[in-house]
Amino acid sequence: MEVIIAKDYDTLSKQAAMLLASQVISQPGSVLGLATGSTPVGAYKNLVAFYNEGIVDFSRAIVFNLDEYYGVAPENPCSYRWFMEDNLFKHINIRQENTHIPNGLARDTAAECREYEEKIRRAGGIDLQLLGIGGNGHIGFNEPGDSFKSATHLVELDSGTIAANSRFFASRDEVPRQAISMGIKSIMAARRIILLASGAGKAKAVYEMVQGPVTPEHPASVLQLHPQVIIILDQEAASLLPPRA
Ligand code: GLP
């Protein structure tokens, strides 16, 4: 695990965008795994700026997003499909058919999950996976206690996650209780991973991810076992880590 401590959120965002852009520049047909949440918004803004400056071309890139709320339609502004269109896809030249997000309206969720994994496999696997982290250590929507062996699956959201994500909905009652998420196994299959964390609210989860035992009780701790992980933190998110040489 390489840990980079950026001076602030803007620097963290720029560094993440540079890593994503360089992946696409060096391999234009790259398969990117992308994430939602507040944390990657700055990275996406920088990527859009790089695109507008002619630095990076997404015409051959392929994206698989980590997750989608179950029961939420793509045209709902609370959906992760909407979030990705709004923050990234509609501002760059990625082809619509190359953007993949689990279908939150799938009737047969087991089939949807199998097909999602199959699409990732057919695309050649994920070259670079971007992650955020939940305050409880979740990655994607893999909540504490979920098996490390899981591929894409239907998950029950933890009450802390429902509370944290209620800021994106009119009320807590409107937050879906389930989501379709890539599993830990799917995430660990990515060739390279970048995880971003910003703010004091993530400091404990970051500490446990980097310094704690590897345990399903803290899903992000599994990243200690991945050979190519870069963790980019701002000072607040890094505040509980021991000083580094
Ligand atoms: C959601 C997403 C995660 C994300 C997490 C943290 O629950 N499923 O992929 O990492 O929230 O979000 P934020 O960046 O808003 O703190």
Side-chain angles (χ1 to χ4, degrees):
M1 238 178 200
E2 182 187 350
V3 179
I4 298 175
I5 303 176
K7 90 172 173 338
D8 53 24
Y9 177 74
D10 287 347
T11 314
L12 165 158
S13 299
K14 184 122 195 212
Q15 287 186 341
M18 289 190 316
L19 289 169
L20 288 160
S22 70
Q23 172 70 44
V24 176
I25 291 167
S26 65
Q27 213 181 305
S30 287
V31 180
L32 303 176
L34 295 183
T36 51
S38 314
T39 313
V41 169
Y44 295 154
K45 283 204 171 88
N46 278 278
L47 272 186
V48 171
F50 292 159
Y51 168 70
N52 288 332
E53 288 158 22
I55 294 171
V56 59
D57 169 15
F58 292 93
S59 61
R60 292 177 52 204
I62 301 174
V63 163
F64 286 90
N65 257 75
L66 281 166
D67 44 19
E68 179 59 280
Y69 288 115
Y70 187 57
V72 175
E75 19 332 301
N76 182 330
C78 294
S79 72
Y80 282 167
R81 163 58 74 177
W82 181 285
F83 175 98
M84 290 308 298
E85 294 291 340
D86 201 37
N87 284 286
L88 186 65
F89 299 159
K90 74 178 184 199
H91 306 290
I92 60 175
N93 66 337
I94 193 154
R95 296 160 67 126
Q96 182 71 17
E97 63 270 30
N98 285 349
T99 66
H100 305 279
I101 300 186
N103 175 10
L105 296 183
R107 280 169 188 255
D108 183 346
T109 52
E112 171 66 16
C113 294
R114 270 196 314 276
E115 281 160 25
Y116 203 66
E117 288 287 328
E118 183 53 26
K119 279 189 221 162
I120 296 173
R121 196 191 62 74
R122 278 202 304 267
I126 292 175
D127 294 304
L128 181 57
Q129 175 70 56
L130 181 66
L131 297 174
I133 184 169
N136 63 2
H138 74 225
I139 47 178
F141 266 133
N142 294 281
E143 299 284 26
D146 276 2
S147 164
F148 282 168
K149 293 187 200 146
S150 58
T152 301
H153 62 309
L154 184 69
V155 296
E156 305 291 325
L157 302 184
D158 167 307
S159 58
T161 300
I162 292 170
N165 290 5
S166 62
R167 67 190 196 278
F168 298 112
F169 291 82
S171 75
R172 189 185 160 131
D173 287 345
E174 288 188 24
V175 185
R177 271 35 186 175
Q178 294 176 306
I180 295 177
S181 177
M182 278 167 58
I184 297 288
K185 184 175 152 196
S186 340
I187 293 170
M188 289 295 277
R191 294 180 187 93
R192 291 199 300 144
I193 297 176
I194 306 172
L195 182 143
L196 309 180
S198 164
K202 298 292 172 68
K204 187 162 178 293
V206 165
Y207 173 83
E208 284 170 11
M209 165 176 67
V210 177
Q211 300 285 326
V214 175
T215 164
E217 292 314 314
H218 194 83
S221 65
V222 75
L223 300 176
Q224 291 177 28
L225 306 179
H226 193 286
Q228 295 277 355
V229 180
I230 302 179
I231 311 280
I232 311 181
L233 309 170
D234 62 10
Q235 310 267 356
E236 290 80 11
S239 59
L240 297 178
L241 292 181
R244 303 197 152 237

